[in-house]
């Protein structure tokens, strides 16, 4: 297997009941956390539904985002992922407090929750937050809040 794209072509037809969650699924969900979606935090939609509303190319500012969009396309077409739901989507870029934060919860068909956090993106704010190296990072507090919220909601 060469990469996540070949994995999806090879194993995309096997749902999570047949082939358990694995490390490559982990990579896929982590990468999808970087998608810039037009979703409200309280919405719960399948990957397939979200893809129908997503504007391919609109947010592909560099090769990384182009590959994430390519991955998104393959994921939403696959039997394995298309019924996975997206919930608690949150993306913040706050210039005033110089914070960049992203999180999303994926709900697998067997009710396993996967919470993914995006790291520093291409925004100047995200890089400034890193360079300041302040503690506690306000985004760390966001991660803490997010995990607690997901655990208590589900």
């Amino acid at each position: 297997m060469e990469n996540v794209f070949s994995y999806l072509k090879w194993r995309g037809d096997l749902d999570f009941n047949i082939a358990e969650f694995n490390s490559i699924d982990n990579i896929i969900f982590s990468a999808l956390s970087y998608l810039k979606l037009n979703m409200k935090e309280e919405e719960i939609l399948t990957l397939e539904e979200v893809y129908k509303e997503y504007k391919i190319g609109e947010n592909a500012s560099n090769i990384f985002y182009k590959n994430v969009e390519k991955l998104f396309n393959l994921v939403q077409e696959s039997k394995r992922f298309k019924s996975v739901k997206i919930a608690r989507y949150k993306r913040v870029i706050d210039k005033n407090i110089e914070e960049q934060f992203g999180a999303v919860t994926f709900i697998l068909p067997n009710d396993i929750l996967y919470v993914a956090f995006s790291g520093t993106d291409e925004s100047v704010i995200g890089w400034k937050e890193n360079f300041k190296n302040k503690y506690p990072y306000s985004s760390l507090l966001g991660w803490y809040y997010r995990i607690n919220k997901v655990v208590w909601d589900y």
Side-chain angles (χ1 to χ4, degrees):
M1 185 172 23
E2 298 169 8
N3 55 40
V4 293
F5 303 116
S6 57
Y7 166 77
L8 282 167
K9 291 174 185 166
W10 177 56
R11 284 289 186 231
D13 62 330
L14 301 177
D15 65 33
F16 287 102
N17 295 320
I18 295 171
E20 291 183 357
F21 183 88
N22 62 59
S23 59
I24 301 170
D25 298 323
N26 181 51
I27 292 168
I28 290 169
F29 287 130
S30 295
L32 293 177
S33 73
Y34 285 86
L35 286 168
K36 298 173 184 175
L37 304 175
N38 187 20
M39 265 184 85
K40 294 183 175 89
E41 190 173 357
E42 63 275 0
E43 286 183 295
I44 300 175
L45 302 167
T46 65
L47 282 167
E48 188 177 34
E49 291 169 331
V50 172
Y51 186 81
K52 288 177 184 173
E53 299 298 319
Y54 188 77
K55 308 281 190 274
I56 291 291
E58 193 173 283
N59 296 302
S61 54
N62 58 45
I63 191 70
F64 174 76
Y65 284 105
K66 288 178 184 168
N67 280 324
V68 171
E69 286 187 346
K70 179 180 173 184
L71 180 66
F72 190 25
N73 180 48
L74 290 172
V75 161
Q76 65 85 30
E77 288 178 341
S78 75
K79 180 180 179 182
R80 184 165 184 80
F81 290 95
K82 72 178 175 184
S83 63
V84 169
K85 294 177 184 167
I86 295 179
R88 293 277 173 217
Y89 175 81
K90 182 85 168 173
R91 186 171 181 80
V92 175
I93 297 179
D94 190 321
K95 294 177 183 175
N96 295 324
I97 61 172
E98 295 178 336
E99 175 191 49
Q100 174 253 318
F101 174 81
V104 61
T105 301
F106 296 97
I107 305 170
L108 281 63
N110 51 6
D111 289 331
I112 290 176
L113 301 176
Y114 182 97
V115 181
F117 300 95
S118 60
T120 303
D121 64 8
E122 82 283 5
S123 71
V124 173
I125 299 301
W127 286 99
K128 281 178 85 173
E129 180 182 36
N130 285 351
F131 290 134
K132 280 186 169 181
N133 202 15
K134 59 185 180 182
Y135 187 81
Y137 293 101
S138 52
S139 57
L140 284 177
L141 296 174
W143 297 342
Y144 174 78
Y145 168 79
R146 176 71 37 193
I147 289 292
N148 280 302
K149 182 82 174 131
V150 168
V151 166
W152 289 108
D153 281 356
Y154 299 97

